[in-house]
Each structure stands twice: as structure tokens, then as C-alpha cells.
Amino acid sequence: MRSIHDMHNAALSLLYSWGLAHTFTSVGKVFAGRYRPNYLDMLEDLSISGDSDKEWNGRMSFPSGHATIMFAGCTWMALYMAGKLKCFTNKGGEAWKSALCAGTQTRSGMDG
């Protein structure tokens, strides 16, 4: 970070990417509505208690919020590093710079 202004912009853009990812994940969970792996066991417990909020929560399995946040963070990091290393200049970037940025993005696929 070269200045407080740069750090401020970096933090805001990271928070924005996480917020946007969380919004898309929440909307996707409502429309996909896949069951959690323990859904049937949870239904047996709910037959005793009758809590409809827990039953609705049992349908919120896909897409994974953890994987979405990881992907958003690594995408942000790859683009931020590409900008700081000037990979997208007209002169043409060095191969190691592009490989470093692509490796950061690839890392998110391994963890998700």
C-alpha cells in the first residue's frame, strides 16, 4: 500500500466484492433451495418441535456461502495484484506477473 488513500480504496472494494457475493449467494439459495445433507434427520427432530424456520433453513444448502466469499476474495486479490503489477498495460506484462495473478485466482477453485 502506497498511501492511506490506496488502502482505503482497497478495503472498500474488497468489502464491496464480499457484499455483492453475499447478495448473489443469498438470492441463489432462495431460488435453488437444495436440501442440506442432514435434512431428513432434521425433519425427524422437527416433527417433535414443529419449528418452520428450521425447516426453511434446511433448504439453504446451495450455493455455499463459504466458497462464494473465498472466490470473491481471491478474484479481488488477483485483480488488485494485476493492477498494482501493471499486467494490463499496452507494453505487455511480464509472464511471471500474469502467472502470479492467475495462480491467486486458481487458488480459490481449490478451496471452494
Side-chain angles (χ1 to χ4, degrees), residues 68-88:
T68 305
I69 294 298
M70 179 70 178
F71 182 77
C74 285
T75 301
W76 175 86
M77 179 61 78
L79 292 174
Y80 184 79
M81 285 181 3
K84 289 297 174 186
L85 294 173
K86 299 180 179 161
C87 290
F88 303 122

Side-chain angles (χ1 to χ4, degrees), residues 28-51:
K29 284 181 185 238
V30 169
F31 287 114
R34 292 204 183 154
Y35 299 122
R36 292 188 184 274
N38 66 343
Y39 185 72
L40 294 177
D41 294 333
M42 189 173 59
L43 280 182
E44 291 175 6
D45 295 339
L46 288 177
S47 63
I48 299 169
S49 67
D51 189 2

Side-chain angles (χ1 to χ4, degrees), residues 50-72:
D51 189 2
S52 63
D53 289 337
K54 287 184 180 178
E55 194 269 332
W56 176 254
N57 190 20
R59 296 174 184 255
M60 299 289 136
S61 176
F62 176 82
S64 169
H66 297 91
T68 305
I69 294 298
M70 179 70 178
F71 182 77

